[in-house]
Amino acid sequence: MASEQPQKIAILSVYDKTGLLDLAKGLVKQNIRLLASGGTAKLIREAGFPVEDVSAITKAPEMLSGRVKTLHPAVHAGILARDLASDEKDLAEQKIDKVEYVVCNLYPFKDTVAKINVTMPEAVEEIDIGGVTLIRAAAKNHTRVTILSDPEDYHDFVQSLEKGGVTEKQRQQYALKAFTHTADYDTAIADFFRKKYAGEGDQQLALRYGANPHQKPASAYFSGAPLPFKVLCGAPGYINLLDALNAWPLVRELSLALHYPAAASFKHVSPAGAAIGVPLSDVEAKVYMVDDIEGLKESGLAQAYARARGADRMSSFGDMVALSHEVDVPTAKIISREVSDGVIAPGYKPEALEILSKKKGGKYLILQMDPLYIPPTQEVRTLYGVSLTQHRNDATISPTSTFNTIRVPKDSPPLPESALRDLTVATIALKYTQSNSVCYALNGQVIGLGAGQQSRIHCTRLAGDKTDNWWMRFHERTLGISWKKGARRADKSNAIDLLTSGIVPAAGPEREAWEQNFAEVPTPFTAEERRAWLDKLSEVAVSSDAFFPFTDNVFRVGRSGVKYLAAPTGSQNDQACMDVAAELGITFVEQHTRLFHH
């Protein structure tokens, strides 16, 4: 005669008792032995269902006001035991029975800490220990044990029992939900303690507000270690950090790839300018309004920032600065007189730090970045309550390996070093620019960038128009402007932009306001004068973060002195775009990595 199968065991310990009695009824109907703790056992017993206290198998009473109830080998060995001879032997020696079902949910920590003026002792008492251990143990051993952590699952579970048992697929889904439940619970606890202990270990940084002033509270935190940067002066905002933490890796990569100091001027999570410290000519120094900076020629970092800031002064107004090297005095002097929100760098010379600390009445944001910090390979972002995860964009852009596939012209010799340098600058800049994006570069700097446009041609036009404006600033008429005494740098930049863009108002209040900037009003450029000067621009490199879908993009870059074009392929019009490039005398380089950034 076959031996009788041992009675299956379910352990129940729930805070949320929704649906508990219907579940208990279904379990009893299947002749499952119920073991429960505390209030769970009390409710089931009062409803008339057979239930035993967990102490029936632990042989130990609940203690410490309920803090210790299920933390015992008799419970967890029964849950964690596998269908292995060695495990069966251990259970038999200790007279422990296997547990097939665990029903558990946790104390309402989130609800407790959401209350006004909750105290630390109140919060601590809502940190579940035994429940989390039950859930994790059962979920770990889900190949044999069923874990129910959500009352919504009780009905389908009971129906499955009545039909013959829980399937492997169900156990997998219940385990996934259980791990998610404990992970969310631990995150809530960690977040609470970060807020309480902000500043201790620099794991959490309170921000002024989020993207907008009404979005409060806001914070930045880093799990398990101090933040990779220090705040030396000022108070960061949410967008400041978005800019800083996009700009820093850009300049770090530029410097590593090209072996120059690098700088970036960031606005709204895209670079307004980026550059390496290629020596400035006297004319460039004048165009970028830094020709009076003492020590400029001896500082590669200062020249890099002069290029980054000077390329598009309108967009750089109120920027977040990123610098690859220790900030020296010439660089600090340039920053000190511009309208800027903050700077991030690996270090500061004492005198440079003193100069910057006086900016904005002592409120200028100064961040010191750990140059050795390497971010995790996996990125997580929460959007509308949904968590998205992806592998970090760790694609390497290198002048020696990224631009080797020359598609047009055929049998082309290797690119000159200047072209490789400028394509590298443009392409690394795109890696940290809101897509769609197209970037023009020359002399080791971004000279025109189109960011965040929905169509590729609008990116190309926007970047090309900025490139044209940049080049028009080198025209002798622009260089020879006679400014009215006391004209501010921002007003000069705006006045120059109207002049070089060819959009000076013909008459009216705006024309009068424009003319008030000058001691001698310059003559606006005619369309013919602009075209004649723009035709002198050459050797420009352009890079695109994805393929050019139509030939209009190639025609547009050709009007702004582009000689070298790098883009991924994959469009049906690849060959047509290459044919146009050949017709215009543009070298088309296939760049094999798409670089969307959002």
Side-chain angles (χ1 to χ4, degrees):
M1 182 176 178
S3 61
E4 185 178 343
Q5 289 290 325
Q7 189 178 21
K8 293 183 177 180
I9 295 174
I11 292 181
L12 301 90
S13 179
V14 296
Y15 178 87
D16 181 355
K17 296 177 176 57
T18 303
L20 175 63
L21 297 182
D22 287 336
L23 174 64
K25 180 180 179 181
L27 291 169
V28 170
K29 187 176 179 182
Q30 297 300 315
N31 193 33
I32 293 170
R33 180 186 179 190
L34 305 190
L35 299 171
S37 65
T40 305
K42 182 174 183 290
L43 184 63
I44 295 172
R45 189 172 291 118
E46 289 176 348
F49 297 114
V51 61
E52 300 170 70
D53 292 328
V54 172
S55 59
I57 62 171
T58 65
K59 310 303 181 185
E62 294 184 12
M63 63 182 72
L64 306 181
S65 301
R67 280 192 170 197
V68 177
K69 291 178 283 192
T70 59
L71 296 170
H72 194 280
V75 172
H76 290 286
I79 295 171
L80 289 166
R82 298 155 295 183
D83 292 325
L84 300 176
S86 59
D87 285 8
E88 298 282 2
K89 180 174 179 292
D90 288 342
L91 293 182
E93 289 177 352
Q94 300 300 321
K95 298 181 180 179
I96 295 174
D97 294 322
K98 285 182 178 177
V99 174
E100 281 76 18
Y101 310 103
V102 173
V103 183
C104 185
N105 54 61
L106 305 174
Y107 297 162
F109 184 84
K110 281 186 177 180
D111 293 341
T112 298
V113 299
K115 296 176 182 176
I116 297 174
N117 298 324
V118 64
T119 65
M120 179 62 72
E122 289 172 334
V124 165
E125 286 307 312
E126 296 302 326
I127 298 175
D128 204 318
I129 304 300
V132 172
T133 310
L134 282 174
I135 291 173
R136 290 183 66 85
K140 176 176 179 175
N141 205 27
H142 67 271
T143 55
R144 184 183 65 77
V145 179
T146 300
I147 170 63
L148 294 173
S149 59
D150 183 354
E152 293 289 330
D153 294 325
Y154 294 171
H155 176 73
D156 289 344
F157 165 74
V158 170
Q159 282 196 329
S160 296
L161 289 182
E162 292 173 350
K163 293 176 182 178
V166 180
T167 66
E168 180 182 8
K169 181 66 175 178
Q170 281 179 296
R171 288 197 304 274
Q172 291 171 350
Q173 293 300 313
Y174 294 152
L176 172 59
K177 184 175 285 190
F179 282 129
T180 303
H181 183 41
T182 58
D184 181 61
Y185 193 74
D186 286 340
T187 298
I189 294 170
D191 187 55
F192 173 77
F193 279 96
R194 269 193 298 269
K195 290 175 181 176
K196 288 292 183 182
Y197 301 148
E200 295 186 17
D202 294 323
Q203 287 182 302
Q204 172 151 316
L205 178 65
L207 305 178
R208 296 197 307 274
Y209 48 78
N212 297 288
H214 67 275
Q215 292 178 261
K216 297 178 180 179
S219 64
Y221 67 88
F222 190 69
S223 299
L227 287 164
F229 60 85
K230 297 178 181 178
V231 180
L232 303 184
C233 184
Y238 186 87
I239 293 176
N240 292 147
L241 290 188
L242 288 178
D243 284 340
L245 296 175
N246 272 282
W248 165 254
L250 190 162
V251 299
R252 181 179 181 274
E253 289 188 35
L254 269 184
S255 184
L256 289 173
L258 295 170
H259 310 294
Y260 277 88
S265 170
F266 252 67
K267 284 287 297 294
H268 297 293
V269 205
S270 286
I276 57 173
V278 174
L280 288 167
S281 69
D282 291 342
V283 174
E284 286 174 320
K286 183 175 182 180
V287 167
Y288 301 149
M289 300 185 182
V290 294
D291 50 320
D292 59 339
I293 294 292
E294 185 179 350
L296 177 68
K297 291 186 179 296
E298 290 73 45
S299 171
L301 189 67
Q303 293 180 85
Y305 181 60
R307 289 185 180 280
R309 173 81 188 205
D312 184 358
R313 291 186 56 81
M314 296 289 287
S315 296
S316 288
F317 186 86
D319 65 349
M320 188 74 198
V321 182
L323 302 163
S324 65
H325 287 57
E326 183 181 53
V327 180
D328 55 21
V329 171
T331 308
K333 285 183 176 178
I334 297 174
I335 298 172
S336 69
R337 64 187 190 181
E338 301 289 6
V339 176
S340 174
D341 276 1
V343 58
I344 185 169
Y348 301 83
K349 295 285 188 184
E351 189 177 346
L353 182 59
E354 183 180 358
I355 291 169
L356 294 173
S357 297
K358 294 176 181 178
K359 189 172 173 63
K360 296 180 72 170
K363 296 181 180 180
Y364 187 64
L365 178 61
I366 304 174
L367 303 177
Q368 182 172 352
M369 186 69 191
D370 177 1
L372 301 179
Y373 168 70
I374 302 296
T377 57
Q378 206 70 12
E379 296 178 330
V380 180
R381 177 181 180 185
T382 302
L383 184 64
Y384 208 62
V386 177
S387 293
L388 308 176
T389 182
Q390 66 172 353
H391 188 90
R392 181 172 58 87
N393 185 358
D394 54 8
T396 300
I397 311 301
S398 164
T400 58
S401 61
T402 304
F403 309 104
N404 292 334
T405 308
I406 300 175
R407 301 291 295 274
V408 169
K410 293 181 179 179
D411 303 321
S412 174
L415 298 179
E417 287 188 11
S418 60
L420 291 171
R421 173 199 66 198
D422 294 340
L423 286 173
T424 301
V425 169
T427 307
I428 290 178
L430 291 177
K431 188 177 172 184
Y432 297 95
T433 299
Q434 294 293 295
S435 298
N436 286 328
S437 57
V438 173
C439 184
Y440 297 58
L442 185 65
N443 299 335
Q445 70 174 83
V446 170
I447 58 174
L449 191 145
Q453 301 302 301
Q454 286 73 28
S455 72
R456 182 70 45 188
I457 185 57
H458 287 132
C459 299
T460 308
R461 289 172 183 166
L462 177 58
D465 291 348
K466 289 185 175 185
T467 297
D468 294 348
N469 291 350
W470 169 82
W471 179 236
M472 291 302 299
R473 288 159 61 193
F474 288 83
H475 193 283
E476 61 182 9
R477 190 179 306 170
T478 313
L479 290 169
I481 288 174
S482 177
W483 298 103
K484 180 182 288 186
K485 186 177 181 180
R488 298 179 301 177
R489 295 172 71 82
D491 292 332
K492 289 180 181 180
S493 297
N494 185 58
I496 290 172
D497 188 71
L498 290 175
L499 177 66
T500 58
S501 300
I503 55 173
V504 174
E510 189 177 3
R511 174 63 178 249
E512 293 171 5
W514 179 74
E515 292 182 347
Q516 288 176 3
N517 293 290
F518 310 104
E520 183 179 336
V521 178
T523 303
F525 292 104
T526 65
E528 293 75 19
E529 287 174 327
R530 277 177 54 81
R531 188 67 260 163
W533 181 252
L534 292 174
D535 286 342
K536 296 180 180 181
L537 180 60
S538 64
E539 303 301 312
V540 175
V542 68
S543 189
S544 173
D545 66 357
F547 61 68
F548 279 168
F550 299 105
T551 58
D552 51 4
N553 292 279
V554 187
F555 282 120
R556 177 60 190 89
V557 302
R559 294 203 302 271
S560 294
V562 170
K563 173 64 176 175
Y564 307 99
L565 187 163
T569 57
S571 167
Q572 293 181 346
N573 284 329
D574 282 344
Q575 190 57 53
C577 289
M578 292 177 194
D579 291 343
V580 171
E583 180 183 341
L584 298 177
I586 295 173
T587 300
F588 192 110
V589 182
E590 182 178 359
Q591 198 278 97
H592 298 280
T593 306
R594 196 181 79 173
L595 293 170
F596 280 175
H597 180 67
H598 293 280

